């Protein structure tokens, strides 16, 4: 579970937690899509994992208005957490991809690595 933002913590500490949480979301999405496209899971399971990924990023802490906080807010606007309805963007859309890359770039610019870890498929 992602910790609640500590309003007294320096923005850099909160940004690290945000970037780590973003990496967790990317890991869920990567492994979900790998499993889906290799017929290991079906559409219902994929949607369930996507919902989990969006809950994870929805709980990412954000303090201030620095680059990481700004990029996180933009990502949340593209796809509201816990919503995979047809009316919202999915993580394979262009808008989601741009917002996700912006958050990755903001994390990197602040000295925090972000990325997915693959662990399914052998």
């Amino acid at each position: 579970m992602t910790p609640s933002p500590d309003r007294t913590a320096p923005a850099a500490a909160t940004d690290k937690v945000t970037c780590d949480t973003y990496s967790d979301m990317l890991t869920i999405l990567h492994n979900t899509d790998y499993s889906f496209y290799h017929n290991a899971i079906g559409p219902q399971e994929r949607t369930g994992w996507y919902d989990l990924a969006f809950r994870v990023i929805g709980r990412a802490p954000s303090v201030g208005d620095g680059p990481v906080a700004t990029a996180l807010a933009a990502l949340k606007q593209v796809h509201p957490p816990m919503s995979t309805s047809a009316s919202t963007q999915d993580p394979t859309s262009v808008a989601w991809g741009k917002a996700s890359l912006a958050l990755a770039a903001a994390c990197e610019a602040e000295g925090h690595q972000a990325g997915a870890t693959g662990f399914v498929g052998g």
Side-chain angles (χ1 to χ4, degrees):
M1 181 174 187
T2 303
S4 298
D6 178 354
R7 301 291 178 202
T8 64
T14 301
D15 287 352
K16 177 161 181 8
V17 174
T18 297
C19 295
D20 288 346
T21 303
Y22 172 63
S23 291
D24 291 344
M25 181 206 68
L26 292 176
T27 295
I28 294 167
L29 294 176
H30 170 77
N31 288 286
T32 296
D33 283 344
Y34 183 92
S35 296
F36 179 74
Y37 290 115
H38 286 85
N39 297 314
I41 63 172
Q44 182 178 359
E45 284 178 281
R46 183 182 190 211
T47 297
W49 283 111
Y50 276 16
D51 285 343
L52 176 62
F54 300 136
R55 282 196 309 271
V56 167
I57 199 63
R59 293 178 181 147
S62 180
V63 174
D65 58 358
V68 171
T70 300
L72 176 63
L75 184 66
K76 287 179 180 182
Q77 286 179 1
V78 171
H79 193 302
M82 300 189 333
S83 176
T84 56
S85 72
S87 65
T88 59
Q89 299 292 330
D90 74 25
T92 61
S93 74
V94 172
W96 173 268
K98 287 180 179 180
S100 182
L101 287 173
L103 180 52
C107 288
E108 187 172 327
E110 295 298 314
H112 309 296
Q113 295 299 313
T117 302
F119 54 79
V120 297

